[in-house]
Amino acid sequence: MKHGAFILCTLMLVLGAHALAVVADRVEHRAILITNDYEFTVENGVCSGSGTFADPYIIENWSIDAGYDRYGIRIQGTTRPFVIRNVKVSGASGAAISLNHVENGTLEDCLFRANWIGLSLTYTSLVRISRSHFEINTDGVHFYFSQANQLLDCTFLENDTAIWLDASSENQIMGNLIEDSHMGVYMNLRSAENQVVRNAFVGNLHNAYADQPNVWNDEGAGNYWDGYRAIDANLDGIWDSPYRINVDGDQDFYPLVSHPRVPAAPAPTCEG
């Protein structure tokens, strides 16, 4: 196992010139467990990097069927910078990826499908999640007591709850497509001062709920709320009336008329 993993990682580095052809390919890998900064090893799916900000540990191009494990990748108690890239995890009864007491992580271009939780962050900060796809999970991303993380340009499709924050504050949720979920964004246990901006909420049963004040617009732009209509008198792409998040709580003061991730409605025609 060690020898095979080392050869595979070496090949990934040597074939860097063919990255465009290789990046879409994923190789099957067992579940990964890393419990401290010294376990970022080849045996644990790390193919390159020295754990610095300039040269983070890289875990990439794996496909993990977690049907016999609670977690596909579980990282806990680490501070060294790492990147998880182009990894697919399915079938986890706990979480596809679990980050517990972790700092300085990056997840990008990953696929989380049919897990109990796609990504779980517990007492975790300074993690950036981008361009990843969360599909048919009970929870797409679940934050527990986690601060100062970023969730950017991801796609959430047919999850029960797409994004759930428990006692988690000062996170950025921006540019995501949140579609066909029972609940889009749910924030409770005094989750406050999170920035939820420039997302598209489409076809959800409930778009958003928050029990504390959070930020739903920034610099004159808020979020796109499917089905919401008001008046845009000056045609600036912002509805002139706020979108109410809760009856007695937050509002998006600058709801978007359209969103780049939502196809425009076809123009009306006179054809019967």
Side-chain angles (χ1 to χ4, degrees), residues 155-176:
T155 300
F156 295 84
L157 179 63
E158 296 185 18
N159 302 279
D160 188 1
T161 299
I163 303 168
W164 189 335
L165 289 83
D166 280 328
S168 297
S169 300
E170 300 179 5
N171 299 284
Q172 289 185 325
I173 300 170
M174 304 179 68
N176 303 285

Short mmCIF file of all heavy atoms in Angstrom, two decimals, residues 155-176:
data_model
loop_
_atom_site.label_atom_id
_atom_site.label_comp_id
_atom_site.label_asym_id
_atom_site.label_seq_id
_atom_site.Cartn_x
_atom_site.Cartn_y
_atom_site.Cartn_z
N THR A 155 -21.91 24.90 -5.47
CA THR A 155 -23.24 24.52 -5.93
C THR A 155 -23.85 23.54 -4.95
O THR A 155 -23.23 22.54 -4.59
CB THR A 155 -23.17 23.88 -7.33
OG1 THR A 155 -22.62 24.82 -8.25
CG2 THR A 155 -24.55 23.46 -7.80
N PHE A 156 -25.07 23.83 -4.51
CA PHE A 156 -25.82 22.97 -3.60
C PHE A 156 -27.10 22.54 -4.30
O PHE A 156 -27.92 23.38 -4.68
CB PHE A 156 -26.15 23.71 -2.32
CG PHE A 156 -24.94 24.08 -1.50
CD1 PHE A 156 -24.22 25.24 -1.79
CD2 PHE A 156 -24.51 23.27 -0.46
CE1 PHE A 156 -23.10 25.59 -1.05
CE2 PHE A 156 -23.38 23.61 0.28
CZ PHE A 156 -22.68 24.77 -0.01
N LEU A 157 -27.29 21.24 -4.47
CA LEU A 157 -28.43 20.74 -5.22
C LEU A 157 -29.11 19.59 -4.47
O LEU A 157 -28.47 18.59 -4.13
CB LEU A 157 -27.98 20.26 -6.60
CG LEU A 157 -29.06 19.68 -7.53
CD1 LEU A 157 -30.09 20.75 -7.87
CD2 LEU A 157 -28.43 19.13 -8.80
N GLU A 158 -30.37 19.76 -4.17
CA GLU A 158 -31.22 18.70 -3.59
C GLU A 158 -30.66 18.17 -2.27
O GLU A 158 -30.68 16.97 -2.01
CB GLU A 158 -31.42 17.56 -4.58
CG GLU A 158 -32.18 17.99 -5.83
CD GLU A 158 -32.48 16.82 -6.74
OE1 GLU A 158 -32.41 15.66 -6.30
OE2 GLU A 158 -32.78 17.07 -7.92
N ASN A 159 -30.14 19.06 -1.44
CA ASN A 159 -29.81 18.68 -0.07
C ASN A 159 -31.01 18.98 0.83
O ASN A 159 -31.88 19.79 0.49
CB ASN A 159 -28.60 19.49 0.41
CG ASN A 159 -27.39 19.28 -0.48
OD1 ASN A 159 -26.67 18.30 -0.37
ND2 ASN A 159 -27.16 20.23 -1.40
N ASP A 160 -31.08 18.31 1.98
CA ASP A 160 -32.14 18.64 2.91
C ASP A 160 -31.93 20.06 3.41
O ASP A 160 -32.75 20.95 3.20
CB ASP A 160 -32.17 17.63 4.06
CG ASP A 160 -33.38 17.83 4.96
OD1 ASP A 160 -34.20 18.73 4.68
OD2 ASP A 160 -33.53 17.08 5.95
N THR A 161 -30.81 20.31 4.10
CA THR A 161 -30.38 21.66 4.45
C THR A 161 -29.06 21.92 3.74
O THR A 161 -28.09 21.18 3.96
CB THR A 161 -30.20 21.83 5.96
OG1 THR A 161 -31.45 21.59 6.62
CG2 THR A 161 -29.73 23.25 6.29
N ALA A 162 -29.01 22.92 2.89
CA ALA A 162 -27.79 23.16 2.12
C ALA A 162 -26.65 23.62 3.01
O ALA A 162 -25.56 23.05 3.00
CB ALA A 162 -28.06 24.18 1.01
N ILE A 163 -26.90 24.67 3.82
CA ILE A 163 -25.85 25.27 4.66
C ILE A 163 -26.44 25.51 6.04
O ILE A 163 -27.41 26.25 6.18
CB ILE A 163 -25.34 26.59 4.05
CG1 ILE A 163 -24.83 26.37 2.62
CG2 ILE A 163 -24.24 27.20 4.92
CD1 ILE A 163 -24.59 27.65 1.85
N TRP A 164 -25.84 24.91 7.07
CA TRP A 164 -26.35 25.00 8.43
C TRP A 164 -25.23 25.50 9.33
O TRP A 164 -24.14 24.92 9.37
CB TRP A 164 -26.82 23.62 8.88
CG TRP A 164 -27.58 23.59 10.19
CD1 TRP A 164 -27.51 24.47 11.21
CD2 TRP A 164 -28.51 22.59 10.59
NE1 TRP A 164 -28.34 24.10 12.23
CE2 TRP A 164 -28.98 22.94 11.88
CE3 TRP A 164 -28.99 21.42 9.99
CZ2 TRP A 164 -29.90 22.18 12.58
CZ3 TRP A 164 -29.93 20.67 10.69
CH2 TRP A 164 -30.37 21.04 11.96
N LEU A 165 -25.51 26.56 10.06
CA LEU A 165 -24.54 27.12 11.00
C LEU A 165 -25.11 27.03 12.41
O LEU A 165 -26.18 27.56 12.69
CB LEU A 165 -24.22 28.58 10.68
CG LEU A 165 -23.39 28.84 9.42
CD1 LEU A 165 -24.28 28.88 8.19
CD2 LEU A 165 -22.63 30.17 9.53
N ASP A 166 -24.37 26.36 13.31
CA ASP A 166 -24.69 26.30 14.73
C ASP A 166 -23.61 27.05 15.50
O ASP A 166 -22.42 26.70 15.42
CB ASP A 166 -24.73 24.85 15.24
CG ASP A 166 -26.03 24.15 14.90
OD1 ASP A 166 -27.07 24.83 14.85
OD2 ASP A 166 -26.00 22.92 14.68
N ALA A 167 -23.99 28.09 16.24
CA ALA A 167 -23.05 28.84 17.08
C ALA A 167 -21.78 29.21 16.30
O ALA A 167 -20.67 29.11 16.81
CB ALA A 167 -22.70 28.04 18.33
N SER A 168 -21.97 29.65 15.07
CA SER A 168 -20.83 29.97 14.19
C SER A 168 -21.01 31.37 13.64
O SER A 168 -22.08 31.71 13.11
CB SER A 168 -20.73 28.96 13.05
OG SER A 168 -20.48 27.66 13.55
N SER A 169 -19.97 32.18 13.76
CA SER A 169 -20.08 33.60 13.42
C SER A 169 -18.93 34.05 12.53
O SER A 169 -17.89 33.40 12.44
CB SER A 169 -20.10 34.44 14.70
OG SER A 169 -21.20 34.08 15.53
N GLU A 170 -19.17 35.18 11.87
CA GLU A 170 -18.15 35.86 11.07
C GLU A 170 -17.61 34.98 9.94
O GLU A 170 -16.44 35.05 9.58
CB GLU A 170 -17.01 36.37 11.95
CG GLU A 170 -17.49 37.35 13.01
CD GLU A 170 -16.38 37.85 13.90
OE1 GLU A 170 -15.21 37.50 13.65
OE2 GLU A 170 -16.67 38.59 14.86
N ASN A 171 -18.48 34.16 9.36
CA ASN A 171 -18.13 33.40 8.17
C ASN A 171 -18.67 34.12 6.94
O ASN A 171 -19.64 34.88 7.01
CB ASN A 171 -18.72 31.99 8.25
CG ASN A 171 -18.20 31.22 9.45
OD1 ASN A 171 -17.07 30.75 9.45
ND2 ASN A 171 -19.03 31.08 10.49
N GLN A 172 -18.05 33.86 5.79
CA GLN A 172 -18.49 34.44 4.52
C GLN A 172 -19.10 33.35 3.65
O GLN A 172 -18.45 32.33 3.38
CB GLN A 172 -17.32 35.09 3.78
CG GLN A 172 -16.82 36.37 4.42
CD GLN A 172 -15.74 37.03 3.58
OE1 GLN A 172 -14.94 36.35 2.94
NE2 GLN A 172 -15.71 38.35 3.57
N ILE A 173 -20.33 33.58 3.20
CA ILE A 173 -21.04 32.67 2.30
C ILE A 173 -21.40 33.49 1.08
O ILE A 173 -22.35 34.28 1.10
CB ILE A 173 -22.28 32.09 3.01
CG1 ILE A 173 -21.87 31.33 4.27
CG2 ILE A 173 -23.08 31.20 2.06
CD1 ILE A 173 -23.03 30.92 5.16
N MET A 174 -20.66 33.32 -0.01
CA MET A 174 -20.77 34.25 -1.13
C MET A 174 -20.69 33.53 -2.48
O MET A 174 -19.88 32.62 -2.67
CB MET A 174 -19.64 35.30 -1.05
CG MET A 174 -19.60 36.07 0.27
SD MET A 174 -18.26 37.28 0.37
CE MET A 174 -18.82 38.46 -0.86
N GLY A 175 -21.57 33.94 -3.38
CA GLY A 175 -21.50 33.49 -4.76
C GLY A 175 -21.95 32.07 -5.00
O GLY A 175 -21.66 31.49 -6.05
N ASN A 176 -22.70 31.48 -4.06
CA ASN A 176 -23.12 30.09 -4.19
C ASN A 176 -24.49 29.97 -4.86
O ASN A 176 -25.33 30.86 -4.74
CB ASN A 176 -23.19 29.44 -2.80
CG ASN A 176 -21.87 29.54 -2.06
OD1 ASN A 176 -20.93 28.82 -2.37
ND2 ASN A 176 -21.80 30.45 -1.09
#
